[in-house]
Amino acid sequence: MPVTTAALSRDPRAGFHIEPVVVDDPRAHEILVRVEAAGICHTDLVSRAAGSDERPVLLGHEGAGTVAAVGSEVTGVRPGDRVVLTFRHCGACRNCRLGRPAYCAQSVRLNQFGARPDRTPRVTAAGKPVRDGFFGQSSLAGYALSTPDNTVVVPPGTDLAVAAPLGCGFQTGAGAVLNVLRPEPDSTLVIFGAGAVGLAGLLAALTLPDTRVIVVETAAARRDTALELGAVAALDPGTVDVSAAIGELTAGGATHALDTTGRPDVLATAVGVLGVGGAAAAVGLGAGIPPIDVRDLVLSGKSIHGCLEGDSIPARFIPELLALHAAGRLPLDRLVRTYPHTDIDRALADQRAGHIVKPVLTWATV
């Protein structure tokens, strides 16, 4: 049972605590991963704030590292493999069989702090159980226990700091573009929100032939980043009429739109800026009802797609994205800044201040 350090949440209103924890040895269907990098996603922070009274909580769902040990019934993953950890799925329900594991019928049970069947703890701190099992990994620690369905083997030379966010954030943005919207040549995509998800979508769109990207973002630093990465325009919704500006830039409306904000009014704007036959994808987990003109939706043949985890099959899609990165076509490294895991609060402060796009925590290799 390895002893390591973890970023634990003991109070949703306070910062993280770096504490020693003990991670159990893998059971028959489990995989023990020595975590080398773990992205911090907005979902981690929301889940910390909305967590139950069970404390401490161990979050993290963008882990990457090296397999240390596998259970007796694990096949296809071996000690020494480099892996990216992602969301869990049952593999047996209708949606899983149809190749849409993000919509697994057992998703909540498997991903929202799912416990072992016998309720024995996987992680303990000072001898007491830690609430873990977030996305089947809880990877804000030097070791994590995963299962074959959320463990993706990647090439030996993979930069795990770049690969880790493919477990969720980068996979979501890139997948929304490549798997759901699928712009054809001579397309214009408008991305609302230039955080890690939106900028991953931008980079994914630029791997496609003759696809232009317009970004709508309130933060000046992120608008600058979008332009540096290849956006043809970056609009500040606080100072310009976004609909009018996009109308001028596209001569009739965009072909595609991606909303990463989760705000109903922004999704309505995203649909509104589409031209005839345009398609919008929504990936932000917001709340509320968007004020969408149904007459315009029908008469213009527009479509709206909800999209979770990039609508991807991670075991196939993550290696595809890594191959694009290795070929120099998907420079996700430009979105990442690494921090020692002991500096988690500084990483979050830098992200809130807009100094960085995607913070990735690192644990020293042994």
Side-chain angles (χ1 to χ4, degrees), residues 117-180:
D118 63 2
R119 311 301 294 182
T120 56
R122 285 173 293 232
V123 183
T124 57
K128 297 182 179 180
V130 170
R131 190 175 190 230
D132 75 318
F134 192 53
F135 280 66
Q137 54 178 286
S138 283
S139 52
L140 292 184
Y143 283 86
L145 285 167
S146 64
T147 48
D149 60 288
N150 72 329
T151 305
V152 179
V153 177
V154 298
T158 298
D159 182 343
L160 295 180
V162 175
L166 290 173
C168 183
F170 289 173
Q171 176 176 222
T172 296
V177 174
L178 300 180
N179 298 332
V180 177

Side-chain angles (χ1 to χ4, degrees), residues 211-229:
T211 297
R212 298 171 298 281
V213 181
I214 298 168
V215 166
V216 181
E217 167 60 48
T218 58
R222 291 185 175 181
R223 291 197 302 273
D224 292 341
T225 298
L227 293 171
E228 292 168 5
L229 293 174

Side-chain angles (χ1 to χ4, degrees), residues 166-259:
L166 290 173
C168 183
F170 289 173
Q171 176 176 222
T172 296
V177 174
L178 300 180
N179 298 332
V180 177
L181 293 176
R182 299 180 181 181
E184 297 178 345
D186 193 28
S187 293
T188 300
L189 166 67
V190 182
I191 297 177
F192 292 80
V197 173
L199 291 177
L202 163 64
L203 292 177
L206 296 180
T207 67
L208 301 173
D210 193 21
T211 297
R212 298 171 298 281
V213 181
I214 298 168
V215 166
V216 181
E217 167 60 48
T218 58
R222 291 185 175 181
R223 291 197 302 273
D224 292 341
T225 298
L227 293 171
E228 292 168 5
L229 293 174
V232 297
L235 308 176
D236 179 0
T239 61
V240 301
D241 182 329
V242 169
S243 297
I246 292 173
E248 293 178 5
L249 289 167
T250 59
T255 57
H256 303 83
L258 171 61
D259 173 42

